[in-house]
């Protein structure tokens, strides 16, 4: 899809936007890598993360005329990522294939191997969380959203965010990686 | 001092790769294409040559989402489940499970029963685990099953033991066993409610197959036996939410035909009739006899707006369909709707 290097069409009503507001491509260029990283932590897979991010961005693209500030756009896309992710399983969990081990991204050896192990262990621990808890963990501890912002993004109450966070942290503590590395530091 | 939350933040930062393969410019272009496609679709303008041009632009890489797919090929994630314990699990009697809430994996493990009588030689259950959302879907299906009731068939026949065990893991790492000495004419207790062992196993195997192969497009099966592979196990599907449906038919092996066609989509009007009839008439069985091995087969598959599907099959019986939520004898209007979807009844 190399022909897709140039955007040839603006989102709806983009031509009529007042000067000083942000273009869609500008927003994607500035923020989509960070958003993709969040999507990666949700899905555990780079390609599925791309799919999730693009799906959320399409929703923003179609409503771009009503989104005027970068902060609002980012909030909108983050919420779209989170809700699309939590809803997706009904339509798209097809194709998920369980295995006993996550694939390594590189052969073990030195610091790179240690990094691969951390990634594998964290993804394994996240994969064991129900989707709602996983979304809360990513929004709260990776995207650094407040409980209120997380609740708004997921369309749930702050109480639900608190209880999901508590349950997720309790589950993550059973992972050797979390238990070992946090045990001496608290 | 590093807190637990800081440590989690650090681990998440180290886990997320620095950047994706796709450049932002290419992503923005891909999003614009997908947005245009969605807009065209919504306006009902996707037709003829426009479809061909659009499909050529976005076709190949869309392995996950059809028109809304990504610009790169997708690969499956890799959730996991604990391995089975060494040896076999004794399944008689087992404590009841308080709940299947918060389940993250379900795996069939070798089971045994030390009680009297020889065990039946049956096909082993699949060894692949249900994980993540598929495990949660299994839990939803079990919770939606009707309360178990001993059928007349079970009162008439002698069933040999067929021990089975499902090892269930929750998000906090706890495990429990759901199992029984028999696959049919038996119940397991979950959350204080008895569910049919056969229904629970059907939900397990159905969700496994869906986890492996995904949900197929809504269409009639091509196999001789319509019930084969049909989602008759999907108890969590609410038929009142159906937005599409198909009716499928196989004639009596003797050659006698009752309907003009073997497959047909339910029109919006026919679907509404079927939906209302299911709401009114889906319930406990009214059929007291045994099914025969041959005869005409009818299958109705419904789909909701999210693509979930459930099936109801009348497999060579007496006009009574069976689905995961119970039995259904269509009223005259629903029977006519199904017949009309199949091209009408054959006279004479």
């Amino acid at each position: 899809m190399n022909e897709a290097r140039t955007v040839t069409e603006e989102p709806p009503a983009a031509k009529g936007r007042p000067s000083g507001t942000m273009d869609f491509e500008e927003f994607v260029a500035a923020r989509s890598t960070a958003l993709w990283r969040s999507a990666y932590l949700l899905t555990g897979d780079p390609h599925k993360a791309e799919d999730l991010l693009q799906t959320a961005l399409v929703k923003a693209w179609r409503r771009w005329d009503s989104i005027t500030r970068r902060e609002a756009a980012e909030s909108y896309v983050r919420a779209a990522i989170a809700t699309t992710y939590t809803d997706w399983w009904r339509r798209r969990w097809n194709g998920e294939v369980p295995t006993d081990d996550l694939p390594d991204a590189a052969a073990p050896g030195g610091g790179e191997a240690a990094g691969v192990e951390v990634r594998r262990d964290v993804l394994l621990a996240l994969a064991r969380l129900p989707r709602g808890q996983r979304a809360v963990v990513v929004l709260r501890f990776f995207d650094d959203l407040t409980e209120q912002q997380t609740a708004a993004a997921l369309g749930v109450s702050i109480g639900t965010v608190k209880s999901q966070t508590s349950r997720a942290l309790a589950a993550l503590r059973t992972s050797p990686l979390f238990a070992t590395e946090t045990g001496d530091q608290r | 001092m590093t807190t637990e939350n800081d440590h989690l933040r650090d681990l998440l930062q180290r886990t997320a790769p620095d950047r994706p393969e796709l450049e932002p410019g290419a992503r923005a272009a891909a999003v614009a294409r997908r947005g245009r496609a969605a807009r065209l679709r919504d306006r009902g303008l996707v037709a003829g040559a426009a479809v061909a041009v659009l499909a050529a632009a976005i076709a190949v890489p869309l392995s996950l989402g059809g028109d809304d797919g990504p610009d790169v090929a997708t690969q499956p994630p890799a959730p996991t489940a604990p391995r089975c314990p060494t040896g076999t699990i004794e399944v008689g009697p087992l404590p009841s499970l308080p709940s299947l809430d918060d389940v993250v994996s379900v795996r069939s493990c070798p089971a045994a029963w030390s009680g009297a009588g020889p065990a039946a030689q049956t096909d082993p259950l699949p060894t692949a685990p249900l994980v993540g959302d598929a495990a949660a879907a299994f839990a939803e299906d079990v919770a939606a099953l009707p309360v178990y009731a001993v059928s007349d068939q079970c009162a008439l026949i002698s069933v040999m033991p067929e021990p089975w065990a499902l090892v269930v893991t929750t998000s906090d790492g706890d495990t429990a066993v759901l199992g029984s000495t028999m696959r049919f004419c038996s119940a397991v207790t979950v959350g204080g409610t008895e569910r049919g062992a056969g229904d629970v196993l059907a939900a397990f195997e159905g969700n496994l197959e869906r986890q492996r192969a995904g949900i197929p497009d809504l269409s009639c099966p091509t196999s001789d036996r319509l019930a084969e592979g049909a989602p008759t196990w999907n108890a969590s599907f609410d038929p009142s939410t159906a937005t599409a449906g198909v009716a499928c038919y196989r004639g009596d092996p003797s050659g006698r035909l009752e309907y003009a066609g073997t497959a047909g989509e339910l029109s919006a009007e026919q679907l509404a009739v079927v939906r209302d009839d299911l709401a009114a008439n889906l319930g406990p069985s009214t059929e007291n006899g045994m099914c025969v091995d041959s005869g005409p087969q009818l299958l109705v598959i419904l789909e909701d707006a999210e693509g979930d599907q459930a099936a109801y099959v009348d497999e060579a019986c007496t006009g009574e369909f069976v689905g995961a939520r119970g039995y259904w004898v269509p009223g005259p209007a629903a029977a006519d709707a199904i017949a009309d979807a199949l091209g009408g009844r054959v006279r004479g």
Side-chain angles (χ1 to χ4, degrees):
Chain A
M1 305 300 281
N2 289 335
E3 84 282 3
R5 297 276 169 186
T6 305
V7 178
T8 55
E9 182 172 331
E10 293 176 342
K15 295 181 178 71
R17 297 172 72 82
S19 61
T21 56
M22 181 186 37
D23 288 338
F24 180 75
E25 301 97 276
E26 244 182 78
F27 171 75
V28 173
R31 298 304 305 154
S32 71
T33 295
L35 292 164
W36 176 86
R37 296 183 78 214
S38 300
Y40 175 85
L41 289 173
L42 289 172
T43 62
D45 176 88
H47 305 297
K48 211 164 198 176
E50 185 67 43
D51 189 19
L52 178 59
L53 172 59
Q54 287 190 20
T55 300
L57 286 171
V58 166
K59 293 177 181 178
W61 184 88
R62 300 184 72 190
R63 292 161 183 79
W64 200 248
D65 56 336
S66 62
I67 302 174
T68 54
R69 293 177 301 111
R70 172 180 290 189
E71 295 76 18
E74 184 153 348
S75 295
Y76 182 90
V77 175
R78 280 202 192 286
I81 287 173
T83 53
T84 303
Y85 166 74
T86 52
D87 288 346
W88 242 1
W89 72 270
R90 286 190 180 279
R91 293 188 299 118
R92 294 193 176 186
W93 56 289
N94 46 337
E96 289 190 351
V97 179
T99 64
D100 286 330
D101 300 296
L102 281 171
D104 287 346
E112 189 179 357
V116 168
E117 283 179 14
V118 167
R119 177 173 295 168
R120 182 183 57 204
D121 290 347
V122 171
L123 290 179
L124 274 171
L126 291 175
R128 298 181 70 86
L129 297 178
R131 286 207 168 197
Q133 292 181 26
R134 187 166 175 166
V136 165
V137 165
V138 173
L139 290 170
R140 292 279 289 115
F141 299 106
F142 184 74
D143 296 332
D144 272 334
L145 299 192
T146 64
E147 287 176 340
Q148 191 170 10
Q149 290 168 330
T150 302
L154 291 170
V156 299
S157 68
I158 292 178
T160 298
V161 170
K162 287 179 177 175
S163 63
Q164 296 272 53
T165 304
S166 173
R167 296 177 80 177
L169 290 177
L172 289 174
R173 283 186 202 109
T174 65
S175 162
L177 179 73
F178 289 84
T180 302
E181 293 201 10
T182 60
D184 300 333
Q185 293 169 334
R186 274 180 286 165
Chain B
M1 189 172 68
T2 305
T3 66
E4 181 183 63
N5 290 356
D6 290 337
H7 179 62
L8 176 55
R9 286 189 176 91
D10 175 57
L11 286 174
L12 294 174
Q13 285 292 341
R14 288 158 63 187
T15 298
D18 288 340
R19 60 186 62 256
E21 292 175 10
L22 210 60
E23 293 294 327
R27 178 177 298 117
V31 167
R33 277 201 307 278
R34 291 172 64 174
R36 285 196 302 274
R39 197 169 54 194
L40 280 172
R41 189 175 53 211
D42 289 354
R43 290 175 183 172
L45 297 178
V46 184
V51 170
V53 171
L54 193 59
I58 62 174
V60 176
L62 310 187
S63 60
L64 257 184
D67 286 350
D68 290 336
D71 257 30
V72 288
T74 55
Q75 293 177 352
T80 63
R83 295 181 188 284
C84 286
T86 306
T88 56
I89 297 171
E90 172 68 32
V91 291
L94 287 170
S96 65
L97 275 186
S99 161
L100 281 175
D101 292 347
D102 214 17
V103 164
V104 293
S105 74
V106 184
R107 186 195 285 275
S108 170
C109 294
W113 182 48
S114 54
Q121 297 297 312
T122 50
D123 292 336
L125 292 167
T127 56
L130 283 173
V131 291
D133 303 316
F138 167 76
E140 283 185 28
D141 287 331
V142 172
L145 284 172
V147 177
Y148 176 70
V150 180
S151 69
D152 291 344
Q153 287 96 324
C154 291
L156 294 172
I157 60 176
S158 177
V159 182
M160 292 179 75
E162 299 176 81
W164 59 273
L166 300 180
V167 174
V168 172
T169 310
T170 56
S171 64
D172 56 9
D174 288 346
T175 58
V177 176
L178 185 63
S180 172
T181 57
M182 294 189 288
R183 294 192 188 181
F184 298 97
C185 298
S186 169
V188 292
T189 304
V190 180
T193 304
E194 285 193 329
R195 313 289 186 188
D199 296 332
V200 170
L201 289 175
F204 173 69
E205 294 191 86
N207 278 294
L208 262 184
E209 175 58 18
R210 188 172 278 192
Q211 177 180 253
R212 185 192 68 79
I215 303 175
D217 290 337
L218 181 63
S219 62
C220 287
T222 55
S223 55
D224 289 338
R225 189 176 166 230
L226 288 176
E228 195 172 295
T232 51
W233 48 268
N234 191 355
S236 61
F237 183 94
D238 179 357
S240 70
T241 64
T243 55
V246 291
C248 320
Y249 170 64
R250 291 283 182 278
D252 189 302
S254 67
R256 192 172 70 88
L257 290 177
E258 296 170 87
Y259 304 101
T262 58
E265 282 184 32
L266 293 167
S267 68
E269 195 173 306
Q270 291 160 353
L271 177 66
V273 171
V274 167
R275 247 183 350 231
D276 291 348
D277 201 82
L278 273 165
N281 295 323
L282 187 63
S285 177
T286 58
E287 172 57 47
N288 291 321
M290 302 282 282
C291 290
V292 295
D293 290 335
S294 63
Q297 305 169 58
L298 276 171
L299 176 72
V300 172
I301 307 175
L302 300 181
E303 183 177 84
D304 67 16
E306 296 186 323
D308 196 11
Q309 295 174 6
Y312 310 85
V313 64
D314 175 6
E315 193 175 31
C317 288
T318 56
E320 184 176 78
F321 287 73
V322 62
R325 289 191 175 191
Y327 295 82
W328 172 45
V329 178
D336 286 348
I338 293 169
D340 290 345
L342 291 168
R345 291 188 176 87
V346 175
R347 308 281 177 196

